[in-house]
């Protein structure tokens, strides 16, 4: 029988449930258990694929092409779990499935209700993840904050789960805020008491309480929380603010959270002190020997979560190079207005990430030109590659006005365009290349040197492709098409000769980077940045 851990949040949102879940997964994996994680999202969208990054943050793409919540990125970065389309469940998906079954006549004319039909659908999806993954422990994060009307069906399904599979096979973890009131000089437990009280009204008594706090919790405070929340004192876990999210597994381990969980499930597992994680990840993240400054040129830089996986991948590359990566976040629209020189001097590397829409594109193109002409290491991701092609076409190949048909439908030189079979499809998801695709890499190229092999698999999320009509013209001027999607002969990787590090890819390598296994493209990008003298 698999073991199920349900993680809820209280008091306020953005407490870090996803990172807490991923950290629990990490410490349990270290004990020898096979773990998987899933996210139950209360919004009615079927998935976040068409949501604005300012609304939702990053869309994380799985190997099988699902567009999911960014927390699934934390799950894969912290653990070895293979996350699929089944690991992210939304209210939209659940209601869509139930209504489809009702229309099909699967319920034989019964009145369809939240209980049992919606809750049964939720439970079936949780059990499906357990079956597909063959995991011994399934960690289920319930999105939203306890008390929200949207998450009630998910909480009810979680409550019923203990009745279905038994006390020894279910564990409830509640993540809450214990605020420090600076003026009074006191830590306040009342919000936590109310949050747990609301959860208990729903029918769930937490077994473990994780308390987010900026001040250490005294024994007295822990005893008070224990008494009023009906939780054992040792199961009140302090989660203070830390310098790096990768410290959190160590924080949980130091308070024997793994032992508390194993004891509840009556499991006996091998010992682990997380020594490797501490030495190879945390120590290097906190005490780097070197520093480098990277310009991150995007258009959603006002929201930290919009480029979450890319930021983390740069952190991983810093860890791999024993280096502190200092990010200079530059709004591409500012470069459009004031030029690249003002923002990019003193920079040792330039990264242009993915995105959609024309806003800020000309600023990205100017930043790429600055990197190319001044021999500054450059890494382009998805749209970043397309912008690199446009820049090279205009300024090196003399194709004046070259553009993408995404930005200018009647451009004279459509160096980036839709494939013929994609045109005329109205459903936005219908024109996307999503998930893992093979890429064949040419030998004696920078890409081959970076990867060390000729065939790779990388994840995609894009609609427009390089137009092969212009390939020979660009090659004559020095652009190298070093990676190709063999099935349709599509450009996947471009690079430039006689440059310390200029490479751009049509895919999203950030989705496969881990703190203890930095993605090679990011790793070599930071390595190059450490060896190049910045333009002053």
């Amino acid at each position: 029988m698999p073991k199920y851990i349900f993680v809820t949040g209280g008091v306020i949102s953005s407490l870090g449930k996803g990172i807490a879940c991923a950290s629990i997964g990490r410490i349990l994996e270290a004990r020898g258990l096979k773990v998987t994680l899933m996210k139950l999202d209360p919004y009615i969208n079927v998935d976040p694929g068409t949501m604005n990054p300012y609304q939702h943050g990053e869309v994380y793409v799985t190997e099988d092409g699902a567009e999911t919540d960014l927390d699934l990125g934390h799950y894969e970065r912290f653990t070895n779990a293979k996350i699929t389309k089944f690991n992210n469940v939304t209210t939209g998906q659940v209601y869509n499935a139930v209504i489809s079954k009702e229309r099909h006549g699967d319920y034989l004319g019964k009145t369809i209700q939240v209980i049992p039909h919606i809750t049964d659908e939720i439970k079936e999806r949780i059990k499906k993840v357990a079956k597909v993954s063959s995991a011994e422990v399934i960690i289920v994060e319930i999105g939203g904050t306890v008390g929200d009307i949207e998450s009630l069906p998910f909480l009810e399904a979680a409550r019923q789960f203990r009745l279905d599979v038994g006390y020894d096979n279910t564990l409830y973890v509640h993540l809450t805020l214990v605020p420090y009131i600076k003026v009074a000089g006191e830590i306040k437990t009342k919000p936590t008491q109310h949050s747990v009280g609301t959860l208990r009204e729903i029918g769930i008594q937490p077994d473990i309480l994780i308390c987010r706090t900026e001040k250490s919790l005294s024994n007295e405070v822990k005893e008070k929380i224990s008494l009023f929340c009906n939780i054992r004192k040792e199961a009140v876990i302090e989660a203070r603010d830390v310098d790096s999210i990768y410290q959190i597994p160590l924080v949980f381990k130091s308070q024997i959270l793994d032992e508390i969980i194993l004891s509840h499930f009556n499991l006996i597992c091998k010992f682990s002190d997380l020594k490797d994680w501490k030495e190879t990840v945390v120590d290097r993240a906190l005490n780097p020997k070197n520093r480098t400054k990277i310009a991150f040129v995007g258009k959603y830089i006002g929201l930290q979560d919009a480029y979450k996986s890319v930021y983390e991948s740069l952190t991983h590359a810093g860890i791999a190079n024993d280096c502190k990566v200092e990010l200079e976040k530059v709004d591409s629209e500012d470069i459009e207005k004031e030029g690249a020189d003002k923002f990019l001097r003193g920079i040792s590397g330039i990264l242009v990430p993915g995105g959609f829409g024309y806003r800020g594109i000309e600023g990205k193109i100017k930043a790429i030109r600055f990197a190319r002409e001044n021999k500054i290491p450059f890494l382009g991701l998805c749209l970043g590659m397309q912008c690199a092609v446009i820049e090279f076409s205009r300024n090196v190949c003399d194709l004046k006005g070259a553009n993408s048909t995404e930005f200018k439908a009647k451009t004279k030189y459509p160096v980036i365009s839709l494939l013929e079979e994609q045109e005329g499809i109205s459903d936005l998801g219908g024109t996307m290349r999503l998930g893992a695709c093979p890429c064949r890499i040419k030998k004696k190229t920078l890409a081959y040197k970076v990867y060390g092999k000729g065939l790779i698999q990388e994840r995609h999320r894009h609609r427009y492709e390089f137009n092969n009509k212009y390939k020979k013209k660009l090659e004559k001027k020095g652009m190298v098409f070093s990676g190709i999607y063999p099935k349709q002969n599509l450009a996947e990787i471009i690079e430039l000769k006689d440059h310390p590090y200029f490479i751009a890819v049509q895919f999203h390598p950030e989705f496969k980077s881990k703190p203890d296994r930095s993605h090679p493209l990011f790793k070599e990008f930071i390595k190059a940045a450490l060896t190049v003298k910045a333009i002053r």
Side-chain angles (χ1 to χ4, degrees), residues 398-416:
D398 204 31
L399 300 176
K400 302 302 180 186
N403 217 323
S404 166
T405 55
E406 179 184 6
F407 312 134
K408 190 175 181 181
K410 301 297 183 182
T411 178
K412 186 178 180 180
Y413 301 110
V415 291
I416 305 293

Side-chain angles (χ1 to χ4, degrees), residues 192-234:
T192 294
Q193 293 176 43
H194 284 307
S195 182
V196 172
T198 302
L199 199 54
R200 289 166 71 180
E201 286 174 11
I202 295 166
I204 296 175
Q205 167 62 54
D207 302 296
I208 295 171
L209 204 57
I210 298 177
C211 301
R212 282 297 309 274
T213 175
E214 59 180 292
K215 293 284 184 178
S216 185
L217 302 182
S218 65
N219 279 329
E220 183 183 359
V221 169
K222 284 190 174 184
E223 285 170 358
K224 186 176 181 181
I225 292 172
S226 171
L227 178 64
F228 286 101
C229 296
N230 196 32
I231 294 172
R232 290 181 303 151
K233 181 185 167 185
E234 60 268 27

